[in-house]
Amino acid sequence: MNPLFASLPTTIFEVMSGLARETGAINLGQGFPEDAGPEDVRRKAAEALIDGYNQYPPMLGLPELRQAIAAHYQRFQGLDLDWQREVMVTSGGTEALAGAILGLIEPGDEVVLFQPMYDAYLPLVKLAGGVPKFVTLQPPHWRFTEEQLAAAFSPKTKLVLLNNPINPTATVFARNDLEMLARFVTKSDAIVVADEVWEHIVFDGREHVSVLSIPALRERAVKIGSAGKIFSLTGWKVGFVCAAEPILKVLAKSHQFLTFTTPPNLQVAVAYGLGKDDAYFAEMRAGFAGKRDRFAKGLTERGFSVLPAQGTYFLTVDIAPLGETDDVAFSQRLVLEAGVATIPVSAFYDRDAVRTVLRFCFAKRDETLDEALRRLETVAIRRNS
Ligand code: PMP
């Protein structure tokens, strides 16, 4: 057996969801919405399944979807993508990440990672033989500095894995953050893999800035997107990669032996969905922002310190002001005693973890959020007594 996988513990998401199932707790741990997702998009998928083509689609994805991806990113992010040479469909953001990491590094290459990091990154980097170099982000702002980048980069840096917006910290990097990063990437002659799956879920008038819109990164970056996040259909696992042709050619080789293709009916539906009018995307964004505000207000009223949440389905809470020092123990108490499952953010670090932050998913029905707040009241009451 491969020791890397044989020794991996079960992910914290499964542990907390399992505890939530066993105890009947409200699951604000794993990041999935309670809503069924846009009906017209689901109907398109159903129609294409019954009436459409169900054999292998083209390896790079259906032309209509690749065209829709290019048009969508032109409309929302001002990108000028050649759909035939620079766009490929994958089976979710996860496959796109695996393909990019396996396709772009060799054993011994250094890879810069920002902690806290999405849980798939490090095992994939290690599988590819990469040597991780960490930049550790700190609350409340979770931003990197020039000094941190200078310490992490070296002439051996071949890849940088950037998540923007970040799951779990809900940080949205601005253009000047990306420009600072670009200077280091260029100097090391490296490539950036930007996991932008949360690109549409940014709040308070923020714009998502893609790595591909930074001129210095246009030819040395991979942009990853996910229809699961764009349409709140997380089980669909339809992802996209966009990159300059020489990079995309290599990614197509790794894709051909990871999954080769992605279910064609879902591709037809995603192509349709990406063409929906601006109002759909604006309303989706406003809907999630409203949930964030409702939940953040309720938590604040109950004495929790809510950290800024600029995007994603998540908000984080600093438990240090409550006198707590162990996020894992506190999240276990919350699930067992209050009946609310969360994710301890220390699970997203390899080392030097911040141990006083919890992640809550607010992409739930208002009744669910209100019931969770009611249950959390008991925690607050106990604390104050
Ligand atoms: N990257 C990040 C940062 C994510 O949060 C997720 C989903 N939770 C993924 C990648 C995976 O995307 P997909 O479900 O499309 O594979």
Side-chain angles (χ1 to χ4, degrees), residues 8-21 27-32 116-120 123 167-168 314 326-333 335 341-349 355 357-359:
L8 272 183
T10 306
T11 80
I12 188 73
F13 305 103
E14 192 48 36
V15 172
M16 293 309 286
S17 292
L19 264 179
R21 275 192 300 272
N27 191 354
L28 303 185
Q30 222 170 11
F32 58 89
M117 64 199 152
Y118 183 61
D119 61 344
N167 169 13
F314 308 110
D326 181 346
D327 59 346
V328 175
F330 190 64
S331 66
Q332 274 177 351
R333 265 178 46 213
V335 71
T342 59
I343 300 288
V345 166
S346 62
F348 295 81
Y349 289 77
R355 299 202 175 276
V357 179
L358 291 188
R359 188 193 82 172

Side-chain angles (χ1 to χ4, degrees), residues 91-94 97 118 121 163 167 195 197-198 226 229 234 237-238:
S91 294
T94 307
L97 279 164
Y118 183 61
Y121 295 175
N163 183 203
N167 169 13
D195 176 346
V197 300
W198 296 102
S226 168
K229 300 296 182 311
T234 60
K237 292 285 179 178
V238 178

